[in-house]
Amino acid sequence: MIVCYGDITAPGDEQENLRITQSAAIIIDAHSGEVIEIHGDVRR
């Protein structure tokens, strides 16, 4: 399993210094490298 974290800028002009942290867990088959499951805000 791979867990990723990243910050994005919050929407809106007044919140330019506000950051939102997003995370996702990706389960990968160890033998084939195929992505089995994605949990979170990750797009393929």
Side-chain angles (χ1 to χ4, degrees):
M1 176 173 19
I2 298 172
V3 178
C4 303
Y5 296 95
D7 290 338
I8 61 170
T9 304
D13 295 334
E14 297 176 14
Q15 300 174 349
E16 63 185 48
N17 294 325
L18 181 62
R19 308 289 288 177
I20 298 172
T21 299
Q22 291 184 319
S23 65
I26 305 167
I27 300 173
I28 300 173
D29 184 287
H31 297 286
S32 69
E34 179 184 352
V35 174
I36 299 171
E37 293 180 37
I38 298 176
H39 301 276
D41 296 324
V42 175
R43 297 184 181 137
R44 287 186 183 187

